[in-house]
Amino acid sequence: MPTVIYQGKAYECESDETLLDGVNRQGGTISYGCRGGFCQSCMVKAVKGTPPAAAQAGIRPAMKKKGYFLSCLCKPESDFEITPPDRRDEFIPATVTGLEYLNPTVIRLTTKRPDGFNYRPGQFVNLIRPEDGLARSYSLASIPSDGELAFHIRLLPDGKMSNWFIDHLQCGTEILLSDAMGDCCYRKGYADRPLLLAGTGTGLAPIYGILRDALASGHSQQIRLLHGALSSDGLYYDQLLRGVADKHNNFSYIPCLLNEAAPEGGLSGPIDSHIPAQLASDSNWVAFLCGDSEVVTSMRKSCVTHGMDESAIHSDAFG
Ligand SMILES: Cc1cc2nc3c(=O)[nH]c(=O)nc-3n(C[C@H](O)[C@H](O)[C@H](O)COP(=O)(O)OP(=O)(O)OC[C@H]3O[C@@H](n4cnc5c(N)ncnc54)[C@H](O)[C@@H]3O)c2cc1C
């Protein structure tokens, strides 16, 4: 009978019994969900013994190499020593390189770009707190040639993750990242179409990455970036974006304040109410809409009402 060592105890698996069932039948606690090889809740890591290929179905190649397998699909034929999953294997460690306030409620967090970490500007990652796995999604404000990853994070009163960043992170601290996800990205096929980039608050993070990607790709049609904020404090990249506009004739920066008079070159009132006028200035637009969910929904409706095809509208709603 094969023996399984798990958390310092030995368990014997009967013939035809899965490792999950054998360990749990004798008082072990491997967590599980579907018990059918889909949910991956029962994933464990072999530190001794070779998992059968069938028990590694659907597991990422890098994790397979490290000995991860699904205990619900493994009927052991020889002895094993296993451990619970290690978050450092599941996610990608990244070292914090900087944390600065962009205004009183928004920070810019940067990390080293881990070796082999690939992404497209505008995508987001899950940032994970190593000690307990708390995870939140944040959009990348950087582009790959920057070398480091950058995030704009709004500090929410009582926000578990955002406050942990300012209370506990410093240069050199290690956090964990998921792979980059999402499809709110510039494409070469958009080169001859006007771009509307509109975001509220830290919704500027992905559209700033998309803007830089488009400019670096030599986008020659007009690009309009609307940044919406409650008050002038919220326009945290105002000077920087005015500088970009000075250098690129085809780029306009249009700050938009909800509760204050229009700033120089900008607008006042809800950002979504200004979308139709922007779109009226040209045709064949591609839109990127990011930030507060309700505003993103409302801006999307404006684009559709204007006759834009859904496939030309990309968005990330921050939930
Ligand atoms: C695809 C995606 C990309 C995102 N990108 C970014 C980004 O680039 N920058 C960024 O700052 N955030 C971004 N978010 C939001 C982020 O994931 C977190 O929801 C946010 O930081 C709150 O986390 P927290 O743990 O600090 O607050 P929590 O502890 O989760 O919440 C604290 C309080 O704030 C409220 N709350 C939570 N989220 C929001 C919100 N978005 N707006 C208003 N109130 C909220 C909660 O209801 C609660 O009352 C993104 C979300 C998604 C889904």
Side-chain angles (χ1 to χ4, degrees):
M1 231 182 246
T3 301
V4 176
I5 309 289
Y6 177 57
Q7 296 184 319
K9 283 191 193 159
Y11 302 88
E12 297 206 325
C13 289
E14 288 174 0
S15 63
D16 228 33
E17 188 175 41
T18 65
L19 190 150
L20 172 69
D21 289 343
V23 169
N24 284 355
R25 175 177 54 76
Q26 294 163 83
T29 51
I30 300 179
S31 57
Y32 60 89
C34 71
R35 294 171 71 162
F38 299 106
C39 74
Q40 302 200 345
S41 307
C42 67
M43 186 154 63
V44 290
K45 181 180 184 178
V47 288
K48 273 190 202 145
T50 308
Q56 292 190 306
I59 292 181
R60 289 207 327 246
M63 302 276 285
K64 279 187 193 176
K65 261 196 201 160
K66 290 178 179 165
Y68 280 89
F69 67 101
L70 303 179
S71 57
C72 71
L73 296 183
C74 176
K75 291 183 178 166
E77 290 180 358
S78 56
D79 293 348
F80 270 102
E81 183 171 346
I82 59 169
T83 63
D86 178 344
R87 284 193 191 101
R88 290 177 50 89
D89 290 331
E90 258 180 284
F91 300 108
I92 307 159
T95 306
V96 172
T97 52
L99 200 153
E100 58 169 321
Y101 278 83
L102 297 176
N103 73 17
T105 56
V106 176
I107 54 166
R108 179 173 183 269
L109 170 70
T110 53
T111 73
K112 278 188 190 158
R113 180 179 172 190
D115 287 345
F117 180 86
N118 293 317
Y119 70 98
R120 291 189 295 153
Q123 286 193 299
F124 64 94
V125 299
N126 286 338
L127 296 185
I128 293 116
R129 184 161 73 182
E131 52 262 41
D132 63 357
L134 179 73
R136 296 283 187 273
S137 305
Y138 293 100
S139 303
L140 286 147
S142 46
I143 60 174
S145 58
D146 288 345
E148 58 181 13
L149 307 180
F151 305 92
H152 299 172
I153 294 163
R154 178 178 161 208
L155 305 174
L156 284 159
D158 305 324
K160 286 192 203 67
M161 191 64 138
S162 49
N163 285 294
W164 177 75
F165 290 141
I166 41 167
D167 291 342
H168 293 93
L169 292 194
Q170 51 191 358
C171 288
T173 310
E174 207 169 72
I175 56 171
L176 299 174
L177 310 178
S178 69
D179 288 328
M181 297 173 270
D183 200 25
C184 190
C185 306
Y186 181 75
R187 291 154 177 70
K188 285 210 167 73
Y190 295 156
D192 56 358
R193 300 175 67 175
L195 304 183
L196 175 71
L197 312 176
T200 55
T202 48
L204 180 62
I207 61 175
Y208 180 57
I210 295 163
L211 167 69
R212 291 183 62 210
D213 193 21
L215 291 174
S217 307
H219 190 88
S220 57
Q221 285 293 314
Q222 66 163 318
I223 306 174
R224 291 191 166 202
L225 189 156
L226 269 73
H227 186 206
L230 299 176
S231 59
S232 52
D233 256 11
L235 300 175
Y236 59 83
Y237 264 11
D238 193 69
Q239 287 310 310
L240 189 152
L241 289 169
R242 287 181 192 276
V244 178
D246 287 343
K247 285 195 198 130
H248 297 270
N249 288 336
N250 63 329
F251 172 60
S252 331
Y253 163 60
I254 305 158
C256 188
L257 294 179
L258 183 65
N259 296 332
E260 287 178 12
E264 190 193 331
L267 300 164
S268 172
I271 186 172
D272 42 307
S273 69
H274 297 298
I275 299 290
Q278 300 300 322
L279 297 176
S281 68
D282 207 329
S283 59
N284 208 19
W285 287 91
V286 177
F288 295 90
L289 315 170
C290 301
D292 178 84
S293 297
E294 279 180 28
V295 183
V296 166
T297 304
S298 176
M299 292 193 291
R300 177 177 272 276
K301 274 189 197 149
S302 288
C303 291
V304 172
T305 306
H306 185 78
M308 280 180 70
D309 193 81
E310 288 276 358
S311 64
I313 307 169
H314 303 278
S315 61
D316 257 337
F318 285 6

